[in-house]
Amino acid sequence: MKVLVAYMSSTGNTKKIAEAIYGEIAAEKEIKPVSEVQDIGTYDLSFLGFPTHGYGPDKKTKALLERLCRDGRKVALFVTHAAPEDEPEVPEWVVKFKQAAAGAELVGVFDCQGQLAKGPKFFMKISPNKKLRSDAKKDNSKGQPDEARLERARAFARDTLKRVV
Ligand SMILES: Cc1cc2nc3c(=O)[nH]c(=O)nc-3n(C[C@H](O)[C@H](O)[C@H](O)COP(=O)(O)O)c2cc1C
């Protein structure tokens, strides 16, 4: 059993989740930025993680998922977003990641809140877009992913591995 954990992460949130997942894998394993992954065909299971950019995967992420997730390869997705997990829109965003990964055999999906960085928050605050301004005002993501979320990610990894092995 050979397992890959690959992630995209500009400000470290998705990387923290990747590391929590990686720590739970008791098999041959590798962890790396997804930009360094050419092919996942040599792994029995790949955990692939991304931040939400613009209410789903951004163009680059979508293209990457479509390229890597082929031939029914076993993939578990993990996604971070600044919105709280119970925000009603979140499931729609997660579905967009799943759709981009539809060529894989999807064996698990995890999502959690990750801190909105100061830069994007500033631009959201001064945006002409009312929804973005309102989202910036509501932001409660400071300090995320916290220990409870990392623990949820570990449990997700254990559960996925149990089902796939
Ligand atoms: C350009 C951009 C767009 C974003 N769009 C969303 C969004 O639509 N919904 C959301 O909840 N968070 C959004 N975020 C916040 C990130 O998804 C969140 O902070 C994530 O945890 C960042 O992960 P990273 O530190 O691994 O890059 C956005 C962030 C950036 C920089």
Side-chain angles (χ1 to χ4, degrees):
M1 176 93 175
K2 199 172 162 195
V3 183
L4 171 71
V5 181
Y7 58 87
M8 184 183 285
S9 186
S10 317
T11 55
N13 301 330
T14 315
K15 186 176 180 189
K16 275 187 199 159
I17 300 295
E19 287 166 348
I21 291 170
Y22 184 75
E24 295 302 308
I25 303 167
E28 194 184 335
K29 58 183 180 178
E30 279 177 47
I31 183 167
K32 55 176 112 174
V34 73
S35 57
E36 292 174 17
V37 178
Q38 293 307 317
D39 185 14
I40 58 170
T42 56
Y43 301 94
D44 300 298
L45 169 65
S46 301
F47 288 89
L48 304 178
F50 303 89
T52 301
H53 279 173
Y55 312 123
D58 62 15
K59 262 190 173 171
K60 194 176 158 192
T61 298
K62 195 168 171 276
L64 240 157
L65 279 170
E66 285 168 353
R67 180 170 65 78
L68 295 175
C69 296
R70 321 181 249 119
D71 308 329
R73 292 161 182 177
K74 286 190 172 68
V75 166
L77 286 178
F78 57 103
V79 172
T80 68
H81 42 76
E85 290 86 355
D86 61 359
E87 165 81 40
E89 288 173 59
V90 167
E92 293 163 31
W93 309 343
V94 174
V95 161
K96 292 184 199 165
F97 283 92
K98 287 167 74 171
Q99 283 168 345
E105 181 189 341
L106 212 53
V107 293
V109 182
F110 173 87
D111 74 277
C112 78
Q113 194 174 31
Q115 179 166 339
L116 180 62
K118 277 188 184 151
K121 187 168 177 175
F122 173 76
F123 286 108
M124 285 166 71
K125 270 185 179 161
I126 61 164
S127 167
N129 181 321
K130 202 173 159 190
K131 172 152 170 51
L132 285 181
R133 288 203 306 279
S134 144
D135 285 349
K137 215 171 170 184
K138 281 193 301 193
D139 177 43
N140 68 349
S141 64
K142 193 158 188 258
Q144 301 301 349
D146 61 5
E147 182 47 38
R149 283 167 176 81
L150 294 176
E151 189 45 45
R152 269 214 301 122
R154 291 183 199 111
F156 162 71
R158 288 193 297 271
D159 178 60
T160 304
L161 286 157
K162 216 187 308 171
R163 279 184 295 102
V164 169
V165 175

